[in-house]
Amino acid sequence: MNEKGSKRREWVKTAAIIFLSVLLVLTFFSNTIMNYSLPEVAAQYVQSGTITAKIRGTGVVESGDPYNVMVNETRKVASVAVKAGDTVQKGDVLVYLEDQESDELKAAQEALETARDNVETAQNTYYAALLSADINTEVLQSVGESSVSGYLQRIVDAHTAVEQAQKEVDDWTQKVNAFKTQISITPENDADVSAETKALNEAKTAKENADFALTEAQNRLKAIESQLEYENSVSDGNAGAAGNIDELIRQRNQAQLAVISAQTAADNANLAYERAQTALENKTATGDNASDIASLQNQQAKAQAELDAATNRLTEKTNVLGEMSQALNLDSQYDAIVKAQEEVAKAEEELQKQMEKSIGAVVTADVAGTVTSINVTAGESTSAANPVAVLQPEGKGFSMSFSVTNDQASRLAVGDKAELVNAWRYEDVEVTLSGIRPDTTDPGQKKLLTFDVTGSVTAGQTLNISVGQKSANYDMIVPNSAIREDNNGKFILIVETKSSPLGNRYYATRVDVEVLASDDTQSAVSGGLYGSEFVITTSTAPVEAGQLVRLAES
């Protein structure tokens, strides 16, 4: 019995020793165990220094002064001769239109018929008034006529003479218009150059792509050679540097081969472009219609001379009839005829214009420049309200814009030069701030920055730029990674130390700040800081104000 009790006491004693030992270990190492359960943070002290503030943005290049090519009548498109990005000269064909009667032509024909009906009505009214007029002795004496019948005959003869003169004018007008129409539908060159034009456009695109690829290859070679030159200057027998030099030499050799290959491709593309130009010129020369057009123009000039003479005779006959109108106080009826005839002349002129447009019509470029957009395709109809194409006139610049905060805009001034991201791709492109105005989407909080863009760009291209003020000194600068933001604004977390019996404890404490300026890596701030705070930059887990943290080992 005593032996059993002794064993039990021994077991209790052993268990107590083990428990006390574990408790002692946990007590001594509790700080270490707890630390490993906390988020680890990296931190650095607030510093002073210099910041060059940069504002970054992305914008789409737009035509600075676009030229809209309009067609004022409804016409069906036969084919489109150019595409966006093509360079055109003044007079180059942009769109071919189908031969058809447009809505405007039909309206002009109806207007002419109405005007002629109005002339006939006015003439009949006037003639009836003449025949029924009160021809008294005083009137006969004023016109030197002895009898009423004799004066009526003079009226009839004068009216007949006017009708004959008008018919003669109408006949010659039709002949002149016929020659005009024939000249308008006779192209200076009727050779079918569609295939050659297409081949030239394709060759031009291939040439531009090859030239760009060559520039890219040359720039890469220059970059590698510069790096190789730098490595050679600082190597000084360093084994690691020698490895870098060997790799750069290998890359340089590959880049040199790439340049040679790109140069060959560019030369071939340029040769193909020149051959396409020659083919187009040769094909164009086979369809010269200059002599035919000159003959038509000569016939038109003769017909125009006859029309001018007939018009003069009509004026003389009409004046005679007008004098009779005055003698019989019929001025208003006579003026109605003259006005109706003027409307006929206007309607004939408009009809001729619409006829010229409806046959063999093309839409040409009124200015030299670059095609930024084509808004029609074959089979579609044009609209007087919408441009068929938009051109960027030669010599006119491009623009781009994006929105920034009022605070950012306050650091900029018109005339500031912007820098392009990946600037090596845009050797001759310059971007200059040209305007700062309220953003209509949020005029109270934002400003719209507008930039002038010059160089080798096209409308629709996207550019990433940065623009900023000169360098400035600041007392408190923190890494950009330290800046945090929530609904209450921007803030940073600093590390505060509190002592305990088991060692130091580190707490994250919030400090609200205002960002004064930023660059790629750091920001100048103001707020409740003294300049000696230890600022949290990164952490292994999300950290909130008041939370315990552990510092990363340096």
Side-chain angles (χ1 to χ4, degrees):
M1 181 70 179
N2 290 335
E3 184 179 349
K4 185 176 181 180
S6 176
K7 289 182 178 180
R8 184 175 181 182
R9 285 193 301 272
E10 188 68 25
W11 179 85
V12 171
K13 180 180 177 181
T14 301
I17 293 172
I18 293 173
F19 174 76
L20 292 173
S21 298
V22 171
L23 184 61
L24 183 63
V25 169
L26 290 176
T27 300
F28 278 105
F29 291 96
S30 61
N31 192 37
T32 302
I33 295 172
M34 184 185 68
N35 278 343
Y36 279 104
S37 68
L38 299 176
E40 183 181 68
V41 299
Q44 69 178 60
Y45 288 103
V46 175
Q47 299 176 343
S48 62
T50 300
I51 284 184
T52 302
K54 290 291 183 182
I55 297 170
R56 290 167 176 76
T58 300
V60 178
V61 176
E62 299 177 346
S63 177
D65 186 14
Y67 182 87
N68 293 326
V69 181
M70 308 297 294
V71 176
N72 294 325
E73 67 273 354
T74 304
R75 295 291 301 277
K76 194 171 185 179
V77 176
S79 62
V80 179
V82 295
K83 64 180 183 300
D86 285 350
T87 301
V88 296
Q89 300 300 319
K90 183 177 180 179
D92 285 355
V93 176
L94 304 177
V95 176
Y96 291 94
L97 304 176
E98 291 186 359
D99 295 344
Q100 66 179 31
E101 288 191 355
S102 65
D103 294 342
E104 290 74 15
L105 176 59
K106 294 177 182 178
Q109 290 171 335
E110 293 174 357
L112 178 58
E113 292 176 3
T114 301
R116 286 175 175 168
D117 291 342
N118 292 339
V119 169
E120 184 177 354
T121 299
Q123 287 175 337
N124 291 337
T125 301
Y126 174 70
Y127 187 54
L130 280 174
L131 296 178
S132 61
D134 182 15
I135 305 175
N136 53 40
T137 303
E138 184 180 349
V139 171
L140 291 176
Q141 288 177 351
S142 68
V143 297
E145 187 60 58
S146 59
S147 66
V148 173
S149 61
Y151 190 57
L152 287 176
Q153 185 59 49
R154 284 175 60 180
I155 292 173
V156 171
D157 292 343
H159 188 269
T160 302
V162 169
E163 287 184 334
Q164 291 176 346
Q166 182 65 58
K167 184 178 184 305
E168 189 178 7
V169 168
D170 292 342
D171 290 343
W172 282 113
T173 299
Q174 290 181 1
K175 291 178 181 180
V176 170
N177 289 340
F179 283 123
K180 286 182 178 179
T181 300
Q182 186 61 38
I183 292 172
S184 69
I185 66 175
T186 302
E188 294 182 3
N189 192 295
D190 58 2
D192 182 6
V193 295
S194 57
E196 288 74 15
T197 301
K198 180 181 179 181
L200 179 61
N201 290 334
E202 292 175 349
K204 180 182 177 182
T205 300
K207 173 180 174 297
E208 292 173 347
N209 291 338
D211 289 342
F212 179 77
L214 175 60
T215 301
E216 294 268 280
Q218 290 171 337
N219 289 338
R220 174 167 173 75
L221 177 59
K222 289 178 183 178
I224 294 174
E225 288 177 339
S226 297
Q227 183 65 26
L228 180 59
E229 183 179 354
Y230 171 77
E231 292 290 344
N232 283 326
S233 67
V234 300
S235 61
D236 195 24
N238 186 297
N244 291 338
I245 292 174
D246 291 341
E247 174 61 21
L248 286 172
I249 292 174
R250 184 187 67 80
Q251 293 180 12
R252 182 194 62 185
N253 294 338
Q254 291 181 343
Q256 287 174 336
L257 292 175
V259 169
I260 294 173
S261 176
Q263 183 66 64
T264 301
D267 292 341
N268 291 337
N270 286 325
L271 180 60
Y273 179 70
E274 292 173 359
R275 288 175 177 172
Q277 280 184 313
T278 302
L280 177 59
E281 292 169 357
N282 293 339
K283 187 63 175 292
T284 302
T286 63
D288 189 7
N289 291 325
S291 60
D292 293 339
I293 293 175
S295 176
L296 289 170
Q297 289 173 336
N298 184 47
Q299 296 178 67
Q300 178 192 338
K302 292 179 179 179
Q304 184 65 50
E306 293 291 346
L307 174 59
D308 293 341
T311 302
N312 291 334
R313 289 191 290 273
L314 175 61
T315 301
E316 294 174 0
K317 303 299 182 183
T318 303
N319 288 340
V320 171
L321 200 56
E323 292 172 359
M324 295 180 177
S325 302
Q326 293 176 356
L328 297 175
N329 296 319
L330 298 175
D331 291 345
S332 61
Q333 290 89 337
Y334 176 74
D335 289 343
I337 296 176
V338 175
K339 184 177 181 180
Q341 288 174 336
E342 291 174 351
E343 292 300 321
V344 168
K346 292 180 181 177
E348 287 177 340
E349 182 179 352
E350 179 62 24
L351 177 61
Q352 180 61 29
K353 290 180 180 178
Q354 297 301 332
M355 289 180 64
E356 291 174 358
K357 293 179 180 179
S358 296
I359 302 175
V362 294
V363 180
T364 59
D366 295 330
V367 297
T370 303
V371 180
T372 59
S373 66
I374 290 289
N375 302 324
V376 293
T377 58
E380 292 184 344
S381 294
T382 63
S383 168
N386 301 313
V388 297
V390 180
L391 304 181
Q392 171 63 31
E394 196 174 64
K396 301 289 186 179
F398 294 88
S399 66
M400 63 173 287
S401 60
F402 57 82
S403 185
V404 298
T405 64
N406 288 342
D407 178 61
Q408 290 175 315
S410 66
R411 308 173 200 163
L412 304 175
V414 172
D416 287 351
K417 297 289 185 181
E419 297 177 357
L420 285 159
V421 178
N422 297 328
W424 58 271
R425 296 181 57 187
Y426 311 98
E427 289 186 349
D428 62 341
V429 176
E430 290 187 0
V431 182
T432 306
L433 182 60
S434 60
I436 304 174
R437 62 180 185 274
D439 188 342
T440 55
T441 61
D442 189 3
Q445 300 295 325
K446 293 184 178 180
K447 290 288 193 298
L448 187 68
L449 305 183
T450 302
F451 298 84
D452 289 336
V453 183
T454 59
S456 301
V457 294
T458 58
Q461 187 174 352
T462 299
L463 296 181
N464 297 319
I465 64 171
S466 63
V467 59
Q469 62 193 34
K470 295 181 179 179
S471 300
N473 293 319
Y474 296 93
D475 293 330
M476 289 179 283
I477 297 176
V478 299
N480 287 338
S481 59
I483 305 294
R484 304 162 190 261
E485 187 172 8
D486 60 14
N487 294 334
N488 295 320
K490 293 183 179 179
F491 65 95
I492 61 175
L493 293 176
I494 64 173
V495 177
E496 289 193 339
T497 306
K498 294 183 179 180
S499 299
S500 72
L502 297 178
N504 292 332
R505 293 284 186 266
Y506 301 103
Y507 292 86
T509 302
R510 174 182 177 132
V511 178
D512 292 329
V513 297
E514 178 185 357
V515 176
L516 303 177
S518 298
D519 61 17
D520 290 335
T521 59
Q522 54 190 3
S523 297
V525 297
S526 65
L529 299 172
Y530 297 100
S532 58
E533 287 80 4
F534 207 37
V535 182
I536 295 175
T537 56
T538 59
S539 62
T540 57
V543 178
E544 297 182 358
Q547 185 175 348
L548 276 169
V549 297
R550 63 187 173 95
L551 296 178
E553 295 181 3
S554 57

